[in-house]
Amino acid sequence: MNPSRILPQRLVIEAGRTERHYWADLWKYRELFIFLSWRDILVRYKQTVIGVLWAVLRPFLTMVVFSFIFGRLAKLPSDGIPYPILVFSAMLPWQFFASSLTEASNSLISNANMLSKIYFPRLVLPTSAVIVSLVDFFISFVILAIMMVWYGIWPTWHLLALIPLTGLAFLASMAAGLWIAALNVEYRDFRYIVPFLVQFGLYVSPVGFSSSIVPENLRFWYSLNPMVGVIDGFRWAIAGAQTEIYWPGFALSLFVVFALLASGIWYFRRMERTFADVI
Amino acid sequence: MSSTAISVQNLGKCYKIQHQAQRGVKNYRTLGETLSSALTAPFRKLTPGFRDQRSEIRPPTSDLQSSNSNLPSSSRSEDFWALRDVSFEIPKGKVVGIIGRNGAGKSTLLKLLSRITEPTTGRIEMEGRISSLLEVGTGFHPELTGRENIFLNGAILGMPRAEIRSKFDEIVAFAEVERFLDTPVKRYSSGMYVRLAFAVAAHLEPDILIIDEVLSVGDAQFQKKCIGKMQSASEQEGRTVLFVSHNLQTIRQMCERVILLKKGEVSFIGDPHTGINGYLNQNADEQSAAIDLRAYPRQRDHDGAQLLSLKFMDEQGVVAPRVPWATNLLVEVRFRLDRRFRSLDIPMAVTHAEGLRVFSEAYSDQYEKLDLEPGEYIVHLSIPLRFFKLESYFFAIGLFDDGRYGDFIDGLPMPEIFHGNADTHMESHRWGVVRIPVAWKTVQSVSANNLPIFL
């Protein structure tokens, strides 16, 4: 094993210029990144007896309740697809977003000891937290597959769009996660804000209903919520031709995701230098 | 390729201390505090008498700092240089010890070298693969098994997976945990835990190894094994080792050079003998005469009573920075009562340099508690030093009125305890933090020809 692969042979640290190695380091520390994700996944499913079951049960039960309340009681339109499919196809990305946001925002605090004892690009922590949520996300896909068979919905070529859309959901989670993780180090009361944000977001995002019921004149601005674009995309990919994507809105969501991500990375990088001093 | 492994130039680290700094305060703040301080800031300018009592230590580059800095009267911030203008060079393959008192900047220096925090000024150049070990078992997870933790910890310390795999058996044998490899480490004894953690670290193969006071954990036998392993590595493989220790014996044994830090600055670089003597003399210098306690930092402000001064004296009543072992250390404490104390008690305590509380006693253990009018008083006590090892201890003293807080000061360094002809090897191998002199009887032979005749 060639040791030079791990750290540069020559390292220069200068006041205010540490970041020169940053992006190269991020690549060099990829193994640590894999190990941390692996550790968190292992621990997550070791600790809870019903680990995997829990990942499946939570979105499923929420879906049942939502289908009943919005579909049966409120009789909201379902764009011609079974209401449970409408809800569950939105539940997938939403659940992923919510749990990554929660995990990522706590990732720095819960690894505070590591932060103050060892060097590594701090970006590794929130990113691996999001990866862990990705596992739950894939498990939920199995449920979706079963539901699609049950309702006799056959996937179209649209399904391929799930690959970039999952990527988009990932980026949206990272964007919000980075912001809140860095803020959380500085302001500990963010731990109260995150659960509220997640709960609030569930109702503000088109999870229990189709975004087509949003009034036409508001629809564009509704997409300022980056998850609107992601959820609409998921429905379109899963339910096939019945739904349509509102492109201006989708473009806006896309823009918001990338703007948040870029600013999130910027803010995180800025705060990162002092994490070890503050935490 | 030069022959210098580490070169440090004008290195400095500055922390901003806001308000009145106290020890042990939290570094982060809540959003609520920030918002309310932003909202009340304009009013504070109008009422200059108002002072925010909350104290915080802030790093210099935080954005809140800059947003606060345009509200000059709201926060009095002060620069604290944990490390200042430090320059040195370490040639390849040398083992260098860093010594200095608590707060001298040793840990800050290691943190800067390991890139955990950024320097405020200066420059560091290092050549070769670097590993830093500021703690054993960083990233260990109690739920994971020994096997899993070896891989995880190796990755955290910068060992590639292939390397861990190739050394796996060696690590396991070194830690002596073969039978428990697939047991979660939460079920390990603390000894096993430390051995496993250290075994991973001992198998690192960096060119530069940076170690904080981690050798102090684990049992003596295992410590020796680790030191041996590290020593052989630096000799055979030309590894540069930089380490902090309070154990002067280890420093003497292992180091070819020492760096003595004093209040954030380098006070000596060179051979261990001179460096260690400098360190001991520095301790003695600062043990001068009476210690003024009026402005001494306290965990909690004094209340109705105040400790004024303290003197450590030898048996002749002479203020002494070094006191011989097996004599008595005399302590004189002056204090003032601002109100009547109906049931005054004076507790004292001694803490070992490693942080272990050794014992505590109180005036009331010997006499009735006191009913005293306001005024200034003096009290003497005598501590038998034959119960102490030749190590560093800290003294604490307080004033309480029937359990109610008056004043309390902890962490006063006690005079150095010395023994003219102590066997230094023997002294460094004593276990524990105190000595209890036991009564030995002389050795008797029990071989047959010495047995009493009637048997």
Side-chain angles (χ1 to χ4, degrees):
Chain A
M1 187 50 55
N2 175 12
S4 64
R5 249 193 51 212
I6 301 312
L7 282 172
Q9 280 298 321
R10 185 176 187 77
L11 175 69
V12 180
I13 303 169
E14 233 169 328
R17 274 175 65 186
T18 319
E19 55 260 57
R20 268 199 304 179
H21 324 280
Y22 197 79
W23 299 106
D25 273 359
L26 207 55
W27 174 243
K28 280 173 195 133
Y29 278 84
R30 64 189 182 280
E31 213 155 74
L32 175 64
F33 168 72
I34 294 166
F35 267 110
L36 283 179
S37 311
W38 167 79
R39 173 191 78 174
D40 290 343
I41 292 169
L42 226 83
V43 168
R44 189 181 161 93
Y45 292 106
K46 263 186 186 178
Q47 270 171 336
T48 52
V49 185
I50 51 165
V52 180
L53 198 65
W54 183 240
V56 168
L57 219 54
R58 214 163 37 152
F60 186 78
L61 290 178
T62 318
M63 178 274 292
V64 171
V65 172
F66 272 30
S67 306
F68 184 73
I69 293 177
F70 292 109
R72 284 283 169 80
L73 298 184
K75 296 207 165 43
L76 293 178
S78 71
D79 298 346
I81 45 178
Y83 216 90
I85 295 279
L86 179 92
V87 173
F88 204 80
S89 56
M91 209 66 221
L92 274 178
W94 174 258
Q95 200 71 46
F96 170 59
F97 178 78
S99 71
S100 342
L101 187 60
T102 314
E103 297 290 329
S105 64
N106 284 327
S107 62
L108 296 175
I109 306 290
S110 52
N111 287 295
N113 186 43
M114 252 175 82
L115 279 187
S116 57
K117 295 293 181 199
I118 209 110
Y119 168 81
F120 55 91
R122 295 354 186 166
L123 260 173
V124 163
L125 285 176
T127 314
S128 84
V130 174
I131 295 279
V132 174
S133 310
L134 207 54
V135 176
D136 279 356
F137 174 73
F138 287 129
I139 293 172
S140 302
F141 254 110
V142 178
I143 300 291
L144 180 75
I146 295 169
M147 281 172 64
M148 285 172 76
V149 172
W150 176 268
Y151 285 103
I153 292 173
W154 298 108
T156 60
W157 62 269
H158 285 185
L159 204 65
L160 286 178
L162 277 183
I163 296 162
L165 282 167
T166 303
L168 186 63
F170 184 87
L171 294 183
S173 311
M174 279 300 295
L178 284 180
W179 266 104
I180 293 182
L183 283 166
N184 208 1
V185 173
E186 194 79 8
Y187 307 104
R188 291 298 160 88
D189 41 6
F190 263 88
R191 83 193 117 178
Y192 305 117
I193 296 176
V194 170
F196 169 74
L197 217 63
V198 166
Q199 199 178 22
F200 187 70
L202 178 61
Y203 295 101
V204 168
S205 307
V207 178
F209 49 86
S210 159
S211 53
S212 61
I213 65 168
V214 174
E216 203 59 44
N217 54 341
L218 291 179
R219 187 118 193 239
F220 180 71
W221 301 112
Y222 185 56
S223 303
L224 271 177
N225 171 355
M227 285 312 284
V228 170
V230 175
I231 290 173
D232 282 355
F234 264 72
R235 283 207 175 111
W236 177 79
I238 290 165
Q242 281 100 325
T243 58
E244 261 176 49
I245 287 192
Y246 172 64
W247 287 105
F250 186 80
L252 180 62
S253 286
L254 206 64
F255 172 77
V256 171
V257 168
F258 281 102
L260 263 181
L261 186 66
S263 60
I265 291 174
W266 168 81
Y267 182 69
F268 190 90
R269 291 279 296 110
R270 210 171 95 104
M271 302 308 293
E272 185 178 37
R273 284 184 254 157
T274 57
F275 281 163
D277 299 329
V278 182
I279 209 159
Chain B
M1 290 284 275
S2 65
S3 59
T4 310
I6 305 174
S7 143
V8 169
Q9 287 151 27
N10 307 322
L11 195 67
K13 175 75 182 177
C14 174
Y15 290 92
K16 275 238 160 50
I17 304 174
Q18 275 188 359
H19 310 304
Q20 298 133 311
Q22 280 173 1
R23 283 188 298 171
V25 291
K26 61 181 178 143
N27 293 339
Y28 54 86
R29 48 164 67 183
T30 66
L31 185 60
E33 278 167 14
T34 306
L35 289 177
S36 69
S37 93
L39 288 173
T40 54
F43 305 105
R44 234 173 284 169
K45 277 186 189 164
L46 302 173
T47 53
F50 182 85
R51 281 273 179 268
D52 194 344
Q53 288 298 313
R54 277 189 303 259
S55 54
E56 284 167 32
I57 297 168
R58 313 278 311 144
T61 44
S62 117
D63 65 334
L64 292 158
Q65 184 50 41
S66 52
S67 71
N68 262 350
S69 60
N70 43 29
L71 316 165
S73 64
S74 72
S75 59
R76 297 172 301 154
S77 65
E78 197 189 318
D79 286 351
F80 168 68
W81 288 86
L83 215 57
R84 187 174 225 166
D85 207 16
V86 169
S87 304
F88 57 83
E89 281 198 0
I90 296 174
K92 282 203 174 112
K94 285 267 191 286
V95 181
V96 178
I98 301 174
I99 52 179
R101 302 183 58 159
N102 287 338
K106 302 181 302 267
S107 298
T108 307
L109 178 59
L110 293 197
K111 279 192 175 175
L112 291 176
L113 289 171
S114 8
R115 288 204 285 172
I116 290 161
T117 178
E118 242 192 12
T120 314
T121 64
R123 179 183 164 91
I124 304 169
E125 262 178 73
M126 290 188 274
E127 198 143 321
R129 188 179 157 195
I130 304 146
S131 277
S132 63
L133 198 60
L134 302 195
E135 179 194 56
V136 287
T138 305
F140 260 45
H141 200 290
E143 293 288 339
L144 300 182
T145 66
R147 183 190 305 278
E148 287 160 348
N149 269 311
I150 290 178
F151 279 95
L152 179 68
N153 192 235
I156 286 172
L157 293 172
M159 248 194 271
R161 207 172 354 178
E163 193 183 322
I164 307 171
R165 204 172 290 140
S166 70
K167 287 186 186 156
F168 188 82
D169 293 334
E170 219 182 310
I171 292 175
V172 173
F174 192 86
E176 303 160 28
V177 292
E178 291 90 340
R179 283 170 48 222
F180 307 98
L181 262 188
D182 294 305
T183 312
V185 296
K186 66 178 174 187
R187 300 199 210 292
Y188 277 31
S189 72
S190 59
M192 279 160 66
Y193 187 93
V194 167
R195 284 208 305 273
L196 181 66
F198 216 101
V200 182
H203 286 82
L204 282 171
E205 282 181 2
D207 302 314
I208 300 174
L209 182 59
I210 298 168
I211 317 175
D212 204 349
E213 187 107 42
V214 287
L215 287 172
S216 56
V217 296
D219 56 272
Q221 185 103 40
F222 191 70
Q223 274 180 33
K224 214 184 275 177
K225 195 165 155 186
C226 293
I227 292 174
K229 171 101 187 157
M230 272 188 248
Q231 226 160 8
S232 73
S234 72
E235 277 159 17
Q236 290 160 17
E237 298 156 29
R239 177 180 307 165
T240 312
V241 182
L242 195 60
F243 81 101
V244 162
S245 181
H246 281 112
N247 188 336
L248 299 179
Q249 189 60 35
T250 316
I251 299 264
R252 271 199 196 97
Q253 231 171 40
M254 284 186 62
C255 297
E256 295 154 84
R257 270 185 186 214
V258 298
I259 297 175
L260 173 59
L261 290 178
K262 187 177 175 181
K263 291 179 182 155
E265 293 175 35
V266 174
S267 109
F268 174 83
I269 302 181
D271 73 289
H273 186 72
T274 321
I276 289 173
N277 282 345
Y279 171 64
L280 292 175
N281 289 336
Q282 173 195 334
N283 278 354
D285 290 348
E286 290 179 15
Q287 273 309 327
S288 59
I291 306 167
D292 189 349
L293 298 180
R294 281 169 302 181
Y296 206 87
R298 290 154 164 84
Q299 294 284 354
R300 188 175 154 192
D301 276 346
H302 59 87
D303 179 12
Q306 191 184 10
L307 292 159
L308 300 173
S309 71
L310 182 139
K311 276 186 203 168
F312 289 117
M313 297 171 292
D314 62 17
E315 277 183 331
Q316 282 72 45
V318 179
V319 171
R322 299 171 85 220
V323 181
W325 181 79
T327 63
N328 290 310
L329 173 69
L330 304 184
V331 187
E332 177 191 294
V333 183
R334 282 173 179 275
F335 59 94
R336 191 186 68 229
L337 302 180
D338 298 329
R339 55 178 168 80
R340 184 175 169 193
F341 272 53
R342 289 175 192 280
S343 156
L344 173 75
D345 198 4
I346 311 168
M348 58 77 61
V350 168
T351 308
H352 186 257
E354 307 266 313
L356 191 74
R357 303 283 188 200
V358 180
F359 69 91
S360 68
E361 288 283 317
Y363 187 79
S364 61
D365 288 326
Q366 197 175 342
Y367 299 107
E368 288 295 304
K369 289 184 182 174
L370 298 155
D371 184 356
L372 294 179
E373 295 298 326
E376 272 192 35
Y377 297 90
I378 194 162
V379 65
H380 287 93
L381 61 137
S382 156
I383 305 173
L385 292 181
R386 68 178 182 282
F387 296 112
F388 288 68
K389 293 172 70 187
L390 305 185
E391 292 181 352
S392 308
Y393 296 86
F394 294 96
F395 186 76
I397 184 102
L399 301 166
F400 287 82
D401 188 9
D402 199 17
R404 191 179 150 202
Y405 181 85
D407 199 0
F408 184 74
I409 293 180
D410 195 0
L412 292 158
M414 282 172 58
E416 187 196 343
I417 304 163
F418 74 95
H419 190 311
N421 40 17
D423 175 351
T424 47
H425 179 77
M426 173 69 193
E427 286 306 321
S428 67
H429 284 79
R430 275 188 205 287
W431 288 12
V433 291
V434 286
R435 292 186 59 180
I436 308 287
V438 297
W440 296 93
K441 293 269 195 275
T442 50
V443 176
Q444 310 274 327
S445 168
V446 288
S447 54
N449 55 0
N450 250 2
L451 291 177
I453 287 165
F454 55 82
L455 277 184

